[in-house]
């Protein structure tokens, strides 16, 4: 990859003509708005509705002209296809399919065995590209063909002798959460067609987001079964469907509910699923490698999020969102969210520049006078903070993938892609984006008075999040209009459906469960072999292997632990209607009224720990009997959520 770093006296200027940040020292020509052509716009937005967008671009240009600071602008030359795919495999947790470890792919066997058909095809495509690239470069090592790996996986399963009741119970347990996904071993391998495991998707409501079946598999089924003309909406709030998540009896899993080791697996699977979805729909997934550039190691503006959080955590331990970001939002809200034109009307450019300099000097000392900051100035500072992050809030790696969402055929598929992209964001980026979107929704909630509808807000914020200077490509004026309309609509989706986007799809959680079950089986078999070598009696081992819960708790009863509450343990009878909230209520009823009230305000949660999951925080509407059947070997613990 070639990286050119240039020192500029002025901040980059934003050129509307090319839809990118340019590195020209001066702009002498007045930039004209591209002509409107209804036929070329993805969402048929009229020119008037885009006025906020173009005005915001003009404001950004003026703001950058007044920021007289040295700043490094990085121009990135995209790596070749082989390098991109090699990086993709690393990000997907499959780096041991090539390179020095390629000779022993066993570590990836379990992972690959849980993939759907479309996910397996996406992996296979990338492995073949890397293999061809390495052969061209005359590398000494070779990348194995994924089909061979899947064949080994299937062959090893066929050769594996039955392991009595234990094997049967594992297979039964797997079937409980296998759902409708097809496994990778159901591909055509070695000329032999293997029977697919995926039945046709059950018809669902247009507004239901199905989280039980792979999004890419849904797209395949839709292409095969539906010939209806795809409807495109204007992105108008009134025209967008009220998408919803159907209730899942085993509980909805939100980002932040899983232990880090399982969340890492979720991210690997989300990347593969996103790639498979784009492949099925014929949309190119552009992923860039993160660029290392020299950045400020202190301060507020033009500072990486991770550096900011390191600074802030010294002041406020455990903080996950930059303090300056939080303070700017609270300052805007102090002025009242009913202010007309909020976010749209810019603060005075010279005053913004002076405020930036003063904040840099006084913010951490606690001597900055916030009373002097007008509401529109605070809004301008908030947008400036987002624009001047050294790496975009939507991340360098996935910004183009976010932009490409506009090319997906339906709003439902766009939402599915955004869901996967939110999962893939680094923690600091995701947490800050969540805080931003929640704030923007509060602005929209006051639209009757501030005249800022969700589309107005999307138009104003889209250039600040999407038009990152290192990634702009020269394009025709018409193409730029289409892109402007597209990213404004993506911004609209992010704001309107944010509660859906922070949900981890059930089919991905189930794939993690499968991986954990397979890994436990392998570990168990290895332990049995070791114990046999050590001449231990098998019956003795099996007795030791039984959990205490099996011995102490009768069938249909779970024992819930609450080490930090007055009642530290309780046996609870499972019923069809028993929910996680009911379990919590029984424990809280044992506490004093003051403590119980405090704990009811979201201080403690019921967790599913062990079995086929690492650790998972349960939502209140989880039906315990259904979850117990899904994960009978789990322990149930009430505790607070880590910050």
């Amino acid at each position: 990859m070639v990286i050119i770093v240039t020192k500029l006296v002025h901040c980059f200027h934003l050129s509307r003509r090319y839809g990118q940040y340019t590195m020209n020292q001066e702009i002498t020509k007045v930039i004209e708005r591209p002509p409107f052509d209804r036929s070329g716009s993805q969402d048929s937005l009229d020119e008037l509705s885009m006025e906020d967008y173009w005005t915001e671009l003009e404001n950004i240009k003026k703001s950058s002209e007044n920021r007289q600071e040295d700043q490094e602008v990085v121009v990135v030359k995209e790596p070749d296809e082989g390098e991109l795919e090699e990086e993709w495999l690393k990000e997907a947790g499959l780096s041991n399919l090539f390179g020095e470890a390629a000779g022993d792919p066993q570590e990836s066997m379990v992972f690959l065995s849980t993939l759907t058909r479309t996910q397996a095809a996406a992996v296979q495509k990338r492995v073949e590209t890397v293999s061809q690239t390495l052969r061209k470069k005359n590398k000494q090592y070779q990348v194995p063909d994924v089909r061979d790996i899947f064949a080994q996986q299937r062959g090893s399963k066929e050769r594996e002798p039955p392991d009595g009741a234990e094997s049967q119970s594992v297979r039964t347990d797997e079937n409980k959460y296998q759902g409708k996904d097809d496994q990778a071993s159901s591909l055509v391998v070695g000329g032999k067609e293997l029977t697919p495991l995926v039945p046709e998707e059950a018809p669902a409501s247009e507004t239901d987001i199905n989280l039980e079946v792979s999004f890419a598999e849904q797209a395949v089924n839709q292409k095969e079964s539906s010939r209806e003309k795809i409807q495109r909406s204007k992105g108008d709030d009134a025209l967008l469907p009220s998408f919803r998540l159907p209730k899942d009896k085993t509980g909805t899993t939100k980002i932040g509910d899983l232990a880090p080791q399982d969340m890492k697996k979720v991210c690997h699977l989300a990347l593969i699923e996103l790639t498979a979805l784009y492949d099925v729909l014929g949309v190119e997934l552009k992923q860039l490698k993160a660029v290392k550039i020299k950045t400020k190691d202190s301060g507020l503006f033009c500072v990486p999020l991770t550096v900011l959080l390191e600074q802030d955590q010294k002041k406020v331990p455990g903080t996950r969102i930059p303090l300056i970001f939080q303070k700017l939002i609270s300052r805007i809200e102090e002025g009242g969210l009913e202010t007309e034109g909020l976010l749209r009307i810019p603060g005075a450019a010279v005053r913004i520049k002076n405020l930036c300099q003063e904040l840099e000097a006084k913010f951490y000392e606690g001597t900055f006078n916030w009373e002097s900051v007008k509401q529109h100035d605070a809004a301008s500072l908030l947008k400036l903070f987002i624009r001047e992050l050294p790496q975009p809030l939507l991340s360098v790696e996935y910004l183009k993938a976010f932009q490409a969402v506009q090319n997906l055929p339906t709003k439902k598929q766009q939402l599915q892609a955004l869901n996967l992209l939110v999962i893939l964001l680094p923690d600091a980026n995701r947490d800050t984006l969540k805080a931003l979107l929640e704030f923007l929704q509060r602005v929209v909630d006051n639209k009757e008075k501030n005249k800022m509808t969700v589309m107005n807000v999307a138009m104003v914020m889209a250039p600040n999040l999407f038009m990152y200077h290192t990634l702009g490509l020269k394009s025709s004026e018409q193409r730029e209009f289409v892109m402007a309309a597209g990213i404004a609509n993506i911004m609209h989706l992010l704001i309107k459906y944010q509660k859906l986007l922070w949900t981890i799809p059930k089919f991905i959680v189930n794939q993690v469960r499968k991986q954990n079950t397979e890994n436990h089986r392998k570990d168990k078999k290895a332990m049995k072999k070791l114990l046999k070598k050590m001449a231990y009696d098998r019956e003795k081992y099996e007795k030791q292997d039984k959990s205490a819960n099996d011995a102490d708790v009768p069938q249909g009863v779970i024992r819930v632990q609450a080490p930090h509450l007055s009642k530290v343990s309780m046996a609870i009878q499972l019923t069809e209607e028993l929910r996680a909230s009911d379990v919590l209520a029984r424990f809280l009823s044992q506490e004093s009224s003051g403590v119980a009230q405090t704990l009811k305000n979201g201080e403690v949660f019921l967790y599913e720990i062990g079995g086929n999951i690492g650790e998972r925080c349960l939502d209140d509407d989880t039906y315990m009997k259904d979850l117990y059947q899904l994960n009978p070997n789990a322990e149930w613990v009430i505790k607070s959520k880590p910050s």
Side-chain angles (χ1 to χ4, degrees):
M1 183 190 295
V2 177
I3 302 175
I4 304 169
V5 181
T6 310
K7 279 277 189 179
L8 296 181
V9 177
H10 300 281
C11 278
F12 44 84
H13 295 297
L14 192 140
S15 166
R16 183 182 305 155
R17 180 175 183 81
Y18 296 114
Q20 69 175 61
Y21 290 92
T22 65
M23 293 184 290
N24 299 326
Q25 296 277 346
E26 297 178 2
I27 295 181
T28 56
K29 183 180 177 182
V30 176
I31 303 169
E32 299 196 2
R33 185 173 297 118
F36 169 70
D37 177 359
R38 179 177 295 274
S39 64
S41 170
Q42 170 191 311
D43 293 286
S44 301
L45 293 168
D46 58 45
E47 190 168 8
L48 181 62
S49 70
M50 292 295 294
E51 188 62 35
D52 287 344
Y53 183 95
W54 304 122
T55 301
E56 182 66 16
L57 287 184
E58 196 67 34
N59 292 335
I60 292 172
K61 182 182 78 68
K62 289 176 183 176
S63 171
S64 66
E65 288 171 346
N66 282 276
R67 293 277 283 159
Q68 306 290 327
E69 297 178 0
D70 285 355
Q71 187 168 23
E72 290 185 346
V73 174
V74 181
V75 179
V76 183
K77 179 183 175 183
E78 290 187 9
D80 64 38
E81 190 178 19
E83 291 174 320
L84 278 174
E85 307 299 30
E86 191 170 327
E87 188 64 28
W88 185 92
L89 287 167
K90 288 179 181 177
E91 289 292 318
L94 293 168
S95 56
N96 61 345
L97 289 183
F98 61 92
E100 308 254 335
D104 183 20
Q106 291 296 321
E107 189 178 328
S108 298
M109 296 276 279
V110 169
F111 183 83
L112 292 169
S113 72
T114 66
L115 300 186
T116 65
R117 291 174 302 181
T118 50
Q119 290 173 347
V123 171
Q124 184 170 319
K125 180 179 177 182
R126 272 78 201 167
V127 168
E128 288 173 351
T129 301
V130 173
S131 182
Q132 291 169 7
T133 303
L134 293 178
R135 280 197 293 270
K136 287 177 184 175
K137 292 180 179 179
N138 296 317
K139 294 282 186 181
Q140 295 301 310
Y141 52 81
Q142 291 197 359
V143 180
D145 192 317
V146 173
R147 290 171 296 184
D148 295 337
I149 297 172
F150 288 144
Q152 292 171 25
Q153 174 73 21
R154 182 171 176 272
S156 65
K157 283 188 175 182
E158 288 176 346
R159 291 191 301 272
E160 197 173 88
D163 194 17
E166 178 192 317
S167 290
Q168 182 61 40
S169 66
V170 170
R171 283 192 292 272
T172 303
D173 190 49
E174 282 179 355
N175 290 337
K176 288 176 186 172
Y177 52 78
Q178 184 169 310
K180 301 174 184 176
D181 286 344
D182 182 18
Q183 289 186 298
S185 57
S186 299
L187 294 170
V188 175
V189 180
K192 184 178 179 181
E193 185 175 355
L194 305 177
T195 306
L197 300 178
V198 183
E200 286 190 14
E201 182 187 350
S205 165
E206 292 267 327
T207 57
D208 282 354
I209 302 294
N210 186 345
L211 298 182
E212 297 195 16
V213 178
S214 156
F215 298 153
E217 295 288 346
Q218 291 181 45
V220 170
N221 291 339
Q222 183 178 331
K223 287 175 73 174
E224 290 174 351
S225 63
S226 175
R227 302 297 177 194
E228 295 177 9
K229 186 177 180 181
I230 293 170
Q231 297 292 321
R232 296 185 187 273
S233 75
K234 292 182 180 179
D236 224 11
D237 193 32
L239 296 178
L240 281 180
S242 296
F243 287 113
R244 68 182 187 90
L245 299 177
K247 285 288 184 184
D248 176 14
K249 283 199 161 188
T250 60
T252 301
T253 307
K254 296 285 187 182
I255 293 172
D257 286 349
L258 294 178
Q261 67 267 28
D262 281 341
M263 192 61 198
K264 186 175 181 181
K265 294 171 186 172
V266 166
C267 290
H268 291 159
L269 289 162
L271 176 57
I272 295 173
E273 176 65 18
L274 178 72
T275 308
L277 179 63
Y278 277 41
D279 284 354
V280 168
L281 297 174
V283 175
E284 187 177 7
L285 177 60
K286 290 263 188 175
Q287 185 186 358
L288 293 180
K289 190 173 182 180
V291 183
K292 290 184 179 179
I293 60 175
K294 186 177 180 181
T295 57
K296 292 164 61 178
D297 55 9
S298 64
L300 299 175
F301 296 89
C302 304
V303 178
L305 278 177
T306 51
V307 174
L308 269 175
L309 288 173
E310 285 173 8
Q311 292 175 170
D312 293 348
Q313 285 163 0
K314 293 174 184 175
K315 299 277 185 182
V316 183
T319 188
R320 299 170 63 92
I321 300 160
L323 295 178
I324 181 62
F325 191 84
Q326 295 182 49
K327 186 59 185 176
L328 288 170
I329 287 177
S330 65
R331 183 60 188 158
I332 296 169
E333 294 189 320
E334 285 167 11
L337 296 179
E338 300 85 8
T339 305
E340 189 168 335
L342 189 61
L343 297 176
R344 181 170 56 204
I345 299 173
V350 174
R351 192 164 63 242
I352 297 302
K353 176 192 167 186
N354 292 334
L355 285 171
C356 282
Q357 293 173 345
E358 197 175 347
L359 276 166
E360 294 278 9
K362 299 179 179 179
F363 179 73
Y364 284 113
E365 293 179 1
T367 58
F368 181 78
N369 179 19
W370 282 98
E371 297 299 321
S372 66
V373 182
K374 298 178 180 179
Q375 190 181 35
H376 292 304
D377 292 346
S380 292
L381 286 167
L382 181 71
K383 292 186 287 186
L384 181 68
F385 172 86
I386 295 168
R387 287 198 308 276
E388 292 200 348
L389 287 171
Q391 305 284 6
L393 187 59
L394 301 179
S395 81
V396 166
E397 297 96 321
Y398 299 111
L399 181 59
K400 288 206 168 194
F402 270 99
Q403 292 172 342
V405 167
Q406 65 185 290
N407 300 323
L408 302 183
T410 70
K411 287 288 183 241
K412 186 180 283 190
Q413 288 164 343
Q414 290 174 2
L415 271 181
Q416 290 170 338
L418 287 174
N419 181 199
L420 297 168
L421 283 164
V422 165
I423 290 171
L424 287 168
L425 287 175
D427 290 345
N429 298 59
R430 192 195 305 121
D431 292 338
T432 305
L433 177 64
K434 190 173 192 290
L436 175 64
L437 294 177
E438 289 172 347
F439 163 68
L440 296 179
Q441 184 58 57
R442 293 194 293 273
V443 173
V444 172
D445 290 342
N446 289 272
K447 63 186 176 184
E448 297 301 327
K449 293 184 177 179
N450 61 33
K451 309 302 180 187
M452 294 296 290
T453 66
V454 66
M455 204 60 203
N456 294 138
V457 173
M459 290 287 180
V460 170
M461 295 305 300
N464 293 282
L465 265 76
F466 285 89
M467 303 299 286
Y468 186 62
H469 61 282
T470 68
L471 301 175
L473 295 174
K474 290 187 178 182
S475 60
S476 67
E477 292 176 344
Q478 184 56 49
R479 181 182 168 192
E480 191 221 338
F481 186 92
V482 173
M483 181 179 179
I487 63 174
N489 276 290
I490 297 167
M491 191 73 226
H492 184 180
L493 294 176
L494 285 169
I495 298 169
K496 182 174 175 63
Y497 300 111
Q498 56 187 281
K499 290 183 180 178
L500 304 184
L501 300 180
W502 261 256
T503 303
I504 302 175
K506 183 178 180 179
F507 71 87
I508 288 182
V509 177
N510 284 348
Q511 286 180 291
V512 172
R513 291 185 188 274
K514 293 177 194 176
Q515 289 179 32
N516 291 339
T517 298
E518 281 297 318
N519 285 326
H520 290 333
R521 286 182 65 192
K522 289 182 182 297
D523 293 344
K524 211 169 188 179
K525 286 184 178 179
M527 178 61 72
K528 281 186 177 179
K529 287 180 181 178
L530 178 63
L531 291 172
K532 284 180 180 179
K533 286 180 182 178
M534 296 172 67
Y536 272 76
D537 182 74
R538 179 176 181 136
E539 185 179 346
K540 180 180 178 182
Y541 166 70
E542 288 177 345
K543 285 181 180 177
Q544 290 174 344
D545 189 51
K546 288 183 179 178
S547 69
N549 285 354
D550 291 338
D552 301 339
V553 182
Q555 188 70 23
V557 175
I558 59 172
R559 181 163 293 283
V560 181
Q561 309 291 334
H564 303 298
L565 300 183
S566 301
K567 183 81 171 176
V568 297
S569 179
M570 189 186 297
I572 296 180
Q573 177 70 49
L574 293 173
T575 65
E576 296 293 337
E577 298 303 318
L578 181 74
R579 297 184 300 168
S581 58
D582 301 323
V583 175
L584 284 170
R586 292 191 193 184
F587 275 87
L588 294 179
S589 67
Q590 306 287 324
E591 303 293 319
S592 64
S593 59
V595 173
Q597 187 57 46
T598 302
L599 295 176
K600 278 181 183 176
N601 296 329
E603 291 290 324
V604 293
F605 302 87
L606 180 59
Y607 278 79
E608 165 197 8
I609 299 176
N612 53 44
I613 203 76
E615 186 173 293
R616 175 172 170 255
C617 181
L618 305 183
D619 74 64
D620 286 346
D621 289 331
T622 303
Y623 285 81
M624 297 305 299
K625 187 172 183 179
D626 293 86
L627 182 57
Y628 173 78
Q629 291 171 345
L630 179 66
N631 191 6
N633 296 318
E635 294 181 0
W636 313 97
V637 180
I638 294 175
K639 62 176 186 171
S640 58
K641 208 168 188 178
S643 57

